Amino acid sequence: MATLFTKIINKEIPANIVYEDDDVIAFKDIAPVAPIHVLVVPKKEIPTINDITDEDALLIGKVYRVIGKLAKEFGIDKDGYRVVSNCNEHGGQTVFHIHFHLIGGEKLGTMV
Ligand code: 5GP
């Protein structure tokens, strides 16, 4: 089912877009938890990590390639950053269109 990220992809609602190509879009999170907080989103509507198929392998690889490029662009590649993807209720997922939080710009607390 289409989520608000589809509306952002289709430019039906505004977002601070920092990267876009045919397959992937990235925009600033509306409620950042760190100085840099970008959501990197494959345009294909995949609800959760559980729904990723073999045919999505290249797409997910591309997402990580974009994350690396953005980290460099934002100047956080050397100091480091965190990538988070929440899945379903216990993981804290609220938008059911897979996305990867790129978080950095400060020393982050240990999570795992
Ligand atoms: P999740 O909780 O599913 O892992 O992450 C969803 C993220 O989407 C949250 O960090 C939330 O702040 C962000 N978000 C929710 N609504 C909007 C919106 O309308 N615009 C943007 N840019 N981010 C949003």
Side-chain angles (χ1 to χ4, degrees), residues 4-5 8 13 27-31 37 39 86 92-95 99 101:
L4 76 96
F5 287 175
I8 289 175
I13 62 171
F27 47 89
K28 292 192 177 173
D29 197 293
I30 205 167
H37 187 169
L39 299 172
N86 297 322
Q93 184 174 8
T94 59
V95 179
H99 51 279
H101 298 253

Side-chain angles (χ1 to χ4, degrees), residues 23-56:
D23 302 312
V24 179
I25 191 167
F27 47 89
K28 292 192 177 173
D29 197 293
I30 205 167
V33 299
I36 307 289
H37 187 169
V38 171
L39 299 172
V40 186
V41 184
K43 289 185 174 177
K44 182 176 176 185
E45 284 177 357
I46 302 171
T48 77
I49 292 173
N50 297 331
D51 302 301
I52 294 171
T53 64
D54 288 346
E55 75 171 30
D56 298 321

Side-chain angles (χ1 to χ4, degrees), residues 29 31-38 76 82 102-108:
D29 197 293
V33 299
I36 307 289
H37 187 169
V38 171
I76 59 172
R82 183 170 292 152
L102 167 59
I103 302 163
E106 65 185 9
K107 179 124 178 69
L108 301 168

Side-chain angles (χ1 to χ4, degrees), residues 22 66 91 101:
D22 287 346
V66 170
H101 298 253

Side-chain angles (χ1 to χ4, degrees), residues 1 3 46-48 87-89 93-99:
M1 206 185 83
T3 70
I46 302 171
T48 77
C87 182
N88 277 337
E89 188 188 346
Q93 184 174 8
T94 59
V95 179
F96 288 83
H97 180 140
I98 60 165
H99 51 279

